[in-house]
Amino acid sequence: MTSILSVGSVAYDSVKTPFGEVEEVLGGSATYFSVSASFFSQVDLVACVGNDFRKQDVQLLESRNIDLEGLEYMEGQTFRWKGEYSNDLNEAQTLDTQLNVFSDFRPTLPVRYQDSSYVFLGNIDPSLQRQVLSQVQTPQLVICDTMNYWIEGHFEALLETLKSVDILLVNDAEARQLAQEPNLVRGARKILAWGPRIVVIKRGEYGVLMFYMDSEGTQAEDQLPSGDSLSVFGAPAYPLEDVSDPTGAGDSFAGGFVGYLAGVNRCDVQSLRQAIIFGSVMASFCVEKFSLDRLKELTFTEIELRYKEFKAMTQFEDIP
Ligand code: AMP
């Protein structure tokens, strides 16, 4: 099975939503991504934690067969993030970010990880993302996520990272901020000129848009679409009656998206579209409960069922 190298944050989050509040629960971009992707593919995790990292949280990652050789224990505290959501669950308000052990993290990849084909550069300092990528010999597909914190404070470093990225995943506010362009289509076009071949824009409860350059003609299964006309694929979000906590939705989306592509080892348009739906399915499960509480009890049968519901929900006939 193809494996995915995943780098990002492993964190303790304190989160308040209109539906509840939790303190110091397991979170982090790499955590959500890895657990979500583990339903589709083997995941190798690169991250660091402090000596306060709880045994039960290691056990959760192990229970999903995530390879932890690249998880470094460092002197100090695990990354902390504190956020709050108002009734509009689409955007988190960050109240506090404490990088802690991540400030001194200089990842050295285990030898086994250096020939990874799929690399997920989760939300973390863009220079760290590059540091990890530079140790991978011949990556086949590089997918990158980021957030306002890094766009604001590390813009140039992020642009440098984007030069080596195939697929960028961002939410709509981040896309606007990154491209400095209020219109998402124009923004996507601008970002596509900076390196990525595909830009996936997550729009919270409104779904997701995937932009890519394409042209008529046959395409190999293991090659990303290419061409000169801007193409788009859109999907709604799964309409849920109860949402508890949107934290991690973006990373769980990424896990389903990249996990599926790695699992089938293809990246043609058809597979990319399926991956968008698997991403949306995983994000929809993630937000049903706080922290990783829903993902850790999930089964693949539930994932397949919801994928089918997506198909039924979005299918319509051609003009008669
Ligand atoms: P999302 O999928 O966008 O909701 O990501 C949520 C996760 O991102 C939380 O579990 C946080 O621990 C993590 N996070 C928040 N801020 C940062 C940051 N500046 N760098 C890395 N990870 C972060």
Side-chain angles (χ1 to χ4, degrees):
M1 195 198 272
T2 328
S3 58
I4 306 167
L5 169 63
S6 149
V7 62
S9 57
V10 171
Y12 283 137
D13 292 345
S14 296
V15 181
K16 190 173 174 186
T17 82
F19 314 104
E21 194 170 351
V22 286
E23 296 267 324
E24 307 260 306
V25 293
L26 181 63
S29 55
T31 315
Y32 281 106
F33 173 86
S34 304
V35 171
S36 171
S38 70
F39 285 91
F40 304 88
S41 192
Q42 165 62 44
V43 181
D44 300 332
L45 176 63
V46 175
C48 66
V49 290
N51 32 28
D52 57 346
F53 197 60
R54 296 178 292 241
K55 211 169 175 184
Q56 74 212 55
D57 297 325
V58 182
Q59 283 164 350
L60 166 59
L61 298 171
E62 283 171 347
S63 73
R64 295 295 322 151
N65 280 326
I66 296 165
D67 191 291
L68 300 180
E69 198 186 330
L71 181 67
E72 210 175 298
Y73 280 80
M74 291 170 66
E75 200 58 46
Q77 293 258 301
T78 299
F79 182 102
R80 295 285 196 286
W81 178 74
K82 196 170 184 177
E84 193 174 305
Y85 299 82
S86 61
N87 274 336
D88 175 7
L89 293 173
N90 288 309
E91 208 173 342
Q93 208 205 327
T94 293
L95 303 176
D96 191 27
T97 303
Q98 288 172 26
L99 297 180
N100 297 334
V101 287
F102 263 100
S103 314
D104 302 316
F105 185 42
R106 304 281 171 273
T108 306
L109 295 194
V111 178
R112 255 180 344 94
Y113 292 12
Q114 292 171 10
D115 64 352
S116 306
S117 325
Y118 288 78
V119 181
F120 177 69
L121 304 174
N123 179 22
I124 198 71
D125 188 331
S127 359
L128 263 186
Q129 291 178 321
R130 237 175 308 135
Q131 217 172 309
V132 169
L133 187 57
S134 67
Q135 296 174 55
V136 184
Q137 282 147 12
T138 45
Q140 186 184 325
L141 201 67
V142 181
I143 304 99
C144 173
D145 194 350
T146 191
M147 74 180 288
N148 51 8
Y149 186 89
W150 306 111
I151 300 172
E152 268 159 38
H154 297 67
F155 187 73
E156 293 302 326
L158 181 58
L159 286 190
E160 196 53 38
T161 298
L162 289 185
K163 289 182 188 164
S164 319
V165 164
D166 297 305
I167 306 181
L168 176 69
L169 308 174
V170 275
N171 70 30
D172 44 0
E174 290 155 0
R176 291 191 173 99
Q177 188 185 14
L178 179 63
Q180 290 159 24
E181 164 60 61
N183 180 285
L184 286 183
V185 185
R186 285 174 190 272
R189 201 187 276 282
K190 202 164 162 185
I191 296 168
L192 286 170
W194 291 340
R197 306 268 300 278
I198 298 182
V199 180
V200 176
I201 302 183
K202 300 163 285 175
R203 301 166 62 234
E205 64 178 314
Y206 307 111
V208 56
L209 292 171
M210 172 171 67
F211 293 95
Y212 55 101
M213 301 304 283
D214 200 11
S215 57
E216 295 284 320
T218 48
Q219 179 205 346
E221 285 172 0
D222 61 347
Q223 272 176 4
L224 286 171
S226 65
D228 44 25
S229 60
L230 186 68
S231 303
V232 61
F233 173 69
Y238 185 78
L240 283 171
E241 211 160 319
D242 293 305
V243 174
S244 296
D245 173 17
T247 308
D251 302 305
S252 305
F253 174 92
F257 179 78
V258 181
Y260 177 72
L261 292 176
V264 294
N265 199 16
R266 290 170 60 157
C267 53
D268 54 328
V269 173
Q270 192 182 327
S271 309
L272 285 162
R273 286 174 176 230
Q274 291 172 307
I276 290 279
I277 304 301
F278 275 115
S280 309
V281 166
M282 297 310 287
S284 76
F285 282 120
C286 171
V287 304
E288 286 182 0
K289 291 192 175 172
F290 280 85
S291 185
L292 287 108
D293 289 355
R294 183 65 177 103
L295 293 187
K296 70 183 181 199
E297 64 184 21
L298 191 63
T299 65
F300 199 72
T301 311
E302 288 178 295
I303 296 173
E304 284 176 320
L305 203 67
R306 196 162 281 185
Y307 182 93
K308 287 182 182 147
E309 285 183 65
F310 257 95
K311 183 156 167 44
M313 186 170 82
T314 53
Q315 199 159 13
F316 54 89
E317 307 310 322
D318 206 348
I319 300 170

